[in-house]
Amino acid sequence: MGVIFFFSTQQTANIIPETVPHFIFFKSLHLLEYAFLAILLFYAFSRKKHTIIIAYLYALSDEIHQTFIPGRSGRLRDTLIDLIGIFLGLIILKQLRKIKFINRFF
């Protein structure tokens, strides 16, 4: 959550011009960071429902936080992308556990 917070405080306007690749790059980051957060939260709470609720509440608070950062804006659309990332993380975790890959490490 600290890493997500740090990246949320950074301005994005000068990194890549506002284009389709810019949109795809930053939205894929949303998916990846929230998928990873969901996996970590699942190991902390061992309940999908708690993982989804906590991760999505954090996504909402992150978008609110971004409204206070110059050059950033909070968008409900981004929280929905984050929610997809949360579910994606849980699906990936479930698949890795099925093949017993993850059980070697945890």
Side-chain angles (χ1 to χ4, degrees), residues 17-92:
E18 278 294 326
T19 59
V20 172
H22 175 271
F23 179 82
I24 293 170
F25 176 76
F26 283 102
K27 299 319 166 197
S28 63
L29 286 179
H30 276 263
L31 288 172
L32 291 173
E33 63 192 9
Y34 280 91
F36 189 65
L37 177 62
I39 291 168
L40 294 176
L41 286 173
F42 182 79
Y43 276 106
F45 297 108
S46 298
R47 295 186 183 272
K48 288 181 188 175
K49 185 177 179 180
H50 292 138
T51 297
I52 294 166
I53 291 170
I54 291 168
Y56 190 65
L57 286 174
Y58 189 75
L60 290 169
S61 71
D62 183 50
E63 291 303 315
I64 292 169
H65 165 250
Q66 287 181 28
T67 63
F68 297 102
I69 306 299
R72 301 292 299 258
S73 61
R75 294 191 173 124
L76 183 61
R77 174 190 67 198
D78 288 347
T79 66
L80 298 176
I81 294 169
D82 298 339
L83 187 60
I84 293 169
I86 293 164
F87 283 115
L88 184 64
L90 292 173
I91 290 167
I92 290 169

